[in-house]
């Protein structure tokens, strides 16, 4: 249910508000015609050109040991339950998480700033006077794992390949890329049409750079189980398709002493095991076969940590604060299906979900109700629209639901009974208004066809959690069912939009770009296989609000545009918000060290933690 974007996924409240309202200048404040060492959305950079390392790392961290963990997040075509390809960047197939560790990018993101990137492969970038082109100067020492130089020709090849054949997470940001040119072996020029958002480059600069030689000799498709030639801190080691994979730290990694890398990538090996059942994964953790996991099952967190290793103090439970980034955990209602195109039907389905009952009976009181597509951030709309929000919404009034101009739409609280008669009565009334009349046990249309809805899940946990929701839907006449499928089929059906209802969790960057939002909400992605626009949103008004986000010149105007967009999405009821946690519920065998201060905008445990020999010896894991 969790997905990692390239803006790696998962302090809320005041901290999030502060992050979103930091003083800022427009991207236009970054000078043109001169080489700069970093970029940010509004021109502010924490680290100076001569910085030695990021503040949140331990530069004295020892190196070595193995980190065997269950990834809590992932992206592109990756899957945590199986894998059948080692190409993570195509739209199809199931790749193992963390393949990105094998590749470097032009620039690397700082996790203690909302949107800043600093030189990695490139030691700097020069922006053209018209701000349509970006010239990156490459470090001469950049190398692939076979020792061959990494050149601008490889990067130019990569961006053209991603635009043509890449996963939508990559290709959509390159929509307005006109050309990628190797000016010389150490200079790459990326030229855009002028229709791009000024912040597009922040995403593009983080894309992995591939070897032209490797992918000229090997197909760039989802059939590849041939380990790709990389250039990052790790490379693919041993693996067994669908079962486990190991990433080995590259001893002579060319970039290990760069400021953006110091104090990171400390483990000698990183191993990922694949379990199609959560119970099996937890049992492996209890035995010490898995060393770190985030717990997403409230019952297990509340009641199951009573096994011998935990009671002996060998295993630790710890809650780390979540990132100050907007997040969304919600159910998509697929409007490509005719029966879900009326928003009253989508609202009726939402009213059948009794969160209060679910929280008490399944979540042990640990989750909060989500209301927004941008939860845990200052982008969540509250109360009535501000004058600034109305200035964006009024020109679109005839294309928007009227509720947008009142209080921000929220999901009502139930009486907690599990069968709230008032909410179910309202749901039944909405279905009738939408043309679905009750006939016996089912709601039918004027042709006698039943209103059906199938919930697609890939884990038995969600069968349990969603069964009461299904029962309430059936109570109001919806022919509702749950279908549990294997991980590969789930991924395939999600990518091709072959579902009625599906629940997912995503995080956005702290400073969302138009590209980030288009893949989730824009009309242009409604028919793009593999996009995150799971409901099939196709709305000129939503498109216009996304454009307003892209055009924002400072954090204040960005926040206004994001809140206006949030109001629109919530009133349209494309997504049914579900729940969220304020913290990471982490459990680990007590054999690791980690920085005392967790950065606000990321939590890559495998990159920032280290193996502690002393602790490991005390628990018999040396």
């Amino acid at each position: 249910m969790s997905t990692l974007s390239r803006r790696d996924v998962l302090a809320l409240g005041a901290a999030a508000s502060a992050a979103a309202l930091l003083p800022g200048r427009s991207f236009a404040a970054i000078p043109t015609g001169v080489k700069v060492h970093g970029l940010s959305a509004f021109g502010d950079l924490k680290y100076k050109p001569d910085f030695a390392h990021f503040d949140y790392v331990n530069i004295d961290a020892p190196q070595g040991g193995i980190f065997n963990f269950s990834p809590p997040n992932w992206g592109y075509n990756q899957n945590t339950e199986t894998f059948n390809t080692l190409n993570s960047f195509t739209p199809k197939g199931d790749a193992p998480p963390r393949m990105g560790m094998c590749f470097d990018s032009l620039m690397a993101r700082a996790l203690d700033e909302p949107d800043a990137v600093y030189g990695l492969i490139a030691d700097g970038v020069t922006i053209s006077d018209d701000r349509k082109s970006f010239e990156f100067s490459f470090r001469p020492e950049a190398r692939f794992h076979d020792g061959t130089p990494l050149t601008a020709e490889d990067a130019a090849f990569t961006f053209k390949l991603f635009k043509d054949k890449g996963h939508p997470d990559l290709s959509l940001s390159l929509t307005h890329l006109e050309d990628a040119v190797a000016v010389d072996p150490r200079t790459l020029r990326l030229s855009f049409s002028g229709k791009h958002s000024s912040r597009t480059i922040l995403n593009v600069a983080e894309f992995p750079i591939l070897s032209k030689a490797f992918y000229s000799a090997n197909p760039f498709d989802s059939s590849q189980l041939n380990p790709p030639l990389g250039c990052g801190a790790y490379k693919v080691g041993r693996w067994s398709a669908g079962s486990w994979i190991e990433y080995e730290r590259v001893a002579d990694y060319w970039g290990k002493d760069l400021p953006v890398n110091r104090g990171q990538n400390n483990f000698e090996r990183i191993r990922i095991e694949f379990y199609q059942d959560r119970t099996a994964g937890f049992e492996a953790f209890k035995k010490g076969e898995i060393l770190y996991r985030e717990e997403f099952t409230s019952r297990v967190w509340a009641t199951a940590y009573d096994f011998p290793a935990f009671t002996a103090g060998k295993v630790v439970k710890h809650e780390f604060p979540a990132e100050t980034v907007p997040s969304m955990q919600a159910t998509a209602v697929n409007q490509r299906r005719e029966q879900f195109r009326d928003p009253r039907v989508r609202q009726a389905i939402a009213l059948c979900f009794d969160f209060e009952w679910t929280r008490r009976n399944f979540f042990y009181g640990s989750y909060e109700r989500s209301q927004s597509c941008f939860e845990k951030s200052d982008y969540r709309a509250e109360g009535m629209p501000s004058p600034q929000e109305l200035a964006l919404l009024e020109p679109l009034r005839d294309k928007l639901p009227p509720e947008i101009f009142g209080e921000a739409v929220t999901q009502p609280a139930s009486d907690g009974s599990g069968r709230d008669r008032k909410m179910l009565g309202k749901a039944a009334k909405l279905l009738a208004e939408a043309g679905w009349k009750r006939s016996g046990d089912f709601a039918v249309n004027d042709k006698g066809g039943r209103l059906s809805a199938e919930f697609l899940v890939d884990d038995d946990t969600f069968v349990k959690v969603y069964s009461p929701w299904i029962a309430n839907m059936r109570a109001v006449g919806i022919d509702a069912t749950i279908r549990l499928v294997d991980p590969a089929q789930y991924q395939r059906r999600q990518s091709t939009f072959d579902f009625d209802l599906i629940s997912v969790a995503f995080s956005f960057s702290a400073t969302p770009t138009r590209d980030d939002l288009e893949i989730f909400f824009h009309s242009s992605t409604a028919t793009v296989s593999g996009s995150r626009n799971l409901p099939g949103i196709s709305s000129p008004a939503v498109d216009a609000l996304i454009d307003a986000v892209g055009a924002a010149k400072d954090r204040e105007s960005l926040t206004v545009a994001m809140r206006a967009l949030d109001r629109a999405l919530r009133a349209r009821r494309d997504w049914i918000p579900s729940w969220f946690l304020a913290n990471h519920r982490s459990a680990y065998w007590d054999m690791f060290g980690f920085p005392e201060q967790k950065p606000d905008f990321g939590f890559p445990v495998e990159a920032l933690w280290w193996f502690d020999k002393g602790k490991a010896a005390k628990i018999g894991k040396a």
Side-chain angles (χ1 to χ4, degrees), residues 244-386:
W244 55 270
I245 187 170
E246 291 183 349
Y247 299 101
E248 300 175 353
R249 188 158 55 87
V250 178
D252 58 349
Y253 168 46
W254 73 271
K256 61 185 176 66
D257 294 322
L258 294 178
V260 295
N261 284 329
R262 291 189 68 201
Q264 302 182 60
N265 308 314
N266 301 307
F267 294 107
E268 191 67 26
R269 279 187 297 147
I270 294 175
R271 181 180 173 104
I272 298 172
E273 310 271 356
F274 293 79
Y275 299 97
Q276 295 190 16
D277 180 83
R278 290 192 179 200
T279 301
F282 185 60
E283 290 300 317
F285 174 71
K286 289 162 61 175
K287 297 174 184 176
E289 296 170 4
I290 298 294
L291 303 173
Y292 174 92
R293 64 184 267 120
E294 280 197 42
E295 189 56 69
F296 295 104
T297 305
S298 299
R299 175 187 55 80
V300 173
W301 185 255
T303 67
Y305 281 80
D306 57 357
F307 51 93
F310 180 77
T311 56
K314 296 181 179 181
V315 170
V316 176
K317 289 171 68 177
H318 187 87
E319 294 197 26
F320 294 91
E323 288 66 69
T324 54
V325 298
S327 63
M328 174 178 72
Q329 185 156 336
T331 297
V333 186
N334 190 357
Q335 294 165 45
R336 300 170 189 86
R337 306 280 204 258
E338 185 175 355
Q339 69 265 35
F340 304 126
R341 290 174 187 165
D342 192 313
R344 292 170 294 189
V345 172
R346 304 196 293 271
Q347 184 180 359
I349 292 173
L351 287 168
C352 293
F353 176 51
D354 191 326
F355 171 77
E356 285 68 30
W357 185 92
T358 303
R359 184 176 190 265
R360 185 178 69 253
N361 288 276
F362 286 120
F363 297 160
Y364 291 79
S366 59
Y367 283 95
E368 301 299 328
R369 183 65 193 264
S370 178
Q371 298 289 356
S372 168
C373 292
F374 310 115
E375 202 61 69
K376 299 189 293 187
S377 79
D378 197 51
Y379 305 136
R380 169 177 162 158
E382 300 280 0
M384 298 292 292
S386 68

Side-chain angles (χ1 to χ4, degrees), residues 497-559:
F497 313 123
D498 184 16
F499 58 83
D500 291 344
L501 307 173
I502 192 169
S503 291
V504 290
F506 295 107
S507 289
F508 300 89
S509 62
T511 308
T513 68
R514 186 171 66 195
D515 305 318
D516 295 333
L517 301 173
E518 282 182 349
I519 195 170
F520 285 89
F521 310 120
H522 199 276
S523 301
S524 63
T525 61
T527 58
V528 177
S529 295
S531 83
R532 314 300 184 187
N533 189 348
L534 301 180
I537 301 170
S538 183
S539 163
V542 171
D543 296 347
L545 292 171
I546 292 173
D547 287 342
V549 172
K553 300 301 183 183
D554 51 46
R555 292 196 184 278
E556 184 177 359
S557 58
L558 174 70
T559 302

Side-chain angles (χ1 to χ4, degrees), residues 3 11 42 90 122 137 147 163 246 317 521 561:
T3 298
F42 301 112
T90 64
S137 59
K163 179 173 181 174
E246 291 183 349
K317 289 171 68 177
F521 310 120

Side-chain angles (χ1 to χ4, degrees), residues 194-216:
K195 297 179 181 178
H196 65 292
S197 166
S198 63
R199 301 192 295 279
T200 293
I201 196 63
L202 297 176
N203 287 340
V204 170
E206 286 192 275
F207 285 0
I209 301 301
L210 311 184
S211 163
K212 179 180 180 181
F214 180 87
Y215 280 109
S216 295

